[in-house]
Amino acid sequence: MAAATIHAGLEILYTRDQISKRVAEMGEQISRDFVGQKVVLVGVLKGATIFLADLARCISLDATFDFLSTSSYGKGHQQSGEVRLLKDVDHSVEGQNIILVEDILDTGLTLSYLRRVLSAHQPRSLKIAALLDKPARRIQKIEGDYIGFTIPNKFVVGYGLDYAERYRNLPDICVIPPSALGDE
Ligand code: 5GP
């Protein structure tokens, strides 16, 4: 783990180079698993956008994009336990191979909910690609099919992940110290 700090008090957990290498491996794996088939990459707004953009370019298949949106933590980092769908997919995914692309698998509430929502659209197959997995916080039993990194129970930002909408544009994944997190 790199010890360098950026943006006052943030510690780098994964550098842009480590992320890029791992995302390429994930793309290669998906390309192998679905060789000769089409896939729909369904990103969860907004956190998964940067991961989806990079992952998509490492997938050598005929791929299309769609996006879903759920209610989030609000401004802070607390999980209320309630997930609501704010935006469904734009196009029919019936009979398609869906890769649900998410930034982080934490309590599992969001992806369990979205898996149910997407299953109702009767896809041909439904897989989950999450850049990060925080298994220590799991409430709902769910596992990703493609996981970038398994991380400890720390609140991370960067590479699409925010804290009160900030830090999404950091190219690295960084940890915010608990003392800097409000209880919003
Ligand atoms: P879950 O429903 O699995 O608890 O959480 C999913 C969502 O919570 C993620 O898509 C992400 O928006 C948010 N989340 C969970 N852990 C973190 C974290 O460490 N950092 C940030 N920025 N968001 C997180």
Side-chain angles (χ1 to χ4, degrees):
M1 188 187 302
T5 58
I6 57 168
H7 278 44
L10 299 188
E11 184 186 332
I12 297 178
L13 187 59
Y14 293 106
T15 65
R16 66 193 83 186
D17 291 343
Q18 290 172 309
I19 299 166
S20 148
K21 187 164 171 283
R22 185 69 192 114
V23 170
E25 288 169 356
M26 295 173 82
E28 283 160 20
Q29 178 73 54
I30 291 170
S31 305
R32 276 198 299 274
D33 290 353
F34 288 91
V35 70
Q37 302 178 63
K38 294 180 185 175
V39 293
V40 185
L41 303 177
V42 177
V44 186
L45 295 170
K46 305 172 197 165
T49 50
I50 291 177
F51 173 44
L52 186 145
D54 284 348
L55 181 67
R57 285 174 287 179
C58 297
I59 293 177
S60 54
L61 303 169
D62 191 342
T64 55
F65 298 173
D66 212 324
F67 293 94
L68 286 165
S69 177
T70 60
S71 50
S72 70
Y73 289 174
K75 265 183 78 192
H77 69 289
Q78 300 289 347
Q79 171 62 277
S80 66
E82 189 192 329
V83 184
R84 282 187 305 122
L85 189 66
L86 300 181
K87 184 204 166 301
D88 205 341
V89 285
D90 292 331
H91 305 284
S92 168
V93 288
E94 190 179 334
Q96 314 262 353
N97 296 309
I98 299 179
I99 316 269
L100 182 51
V101 181
E102 176 63 307
D103 50 8
I104 184 165
L105 188 45
D106 186 27
T107 63
L109 293 168
T110 307
L111 283 178
S112 301
Y113 172 76
L114 288 178
R115 196 168 56 175
R116 283 200 303 280
V117 167
L118 286 171
S119 295
H121 289 278
Q122 298 184 302
R124 176 175 176 188
S125 66
L126 176 52
K127 302 283 183 195
I128 290 173
L131 180 67
L132 303 173
D133 186 9
K134 230 195 265 184
R137 297 232 323 148
R138 201 75 94 250
I139 292 172
Q140 281 281 340
K141 193 169 155 22
I142 183 165
E143 281 177 28
D145 300 285
Y146 306 98
I147 295 292
F149 303 100
T150 300
I151 66 166
N153 186 11
K154 295 186 171 180
F155 194 80
V156 291
V157 293
Y159 198 73
L161 287 145
D162 75 311
Y163 176 56
E165 294 300 328
R166 292 180 60 206
Y167 304 119
R168 291 195 198 275
N169 60 325
L170 288 180
D172 311 298
I173 294 171
C174 301
V175 174
I176 296 196
S179 58
L181 295 168
D183 282 321
E184 294 153 278

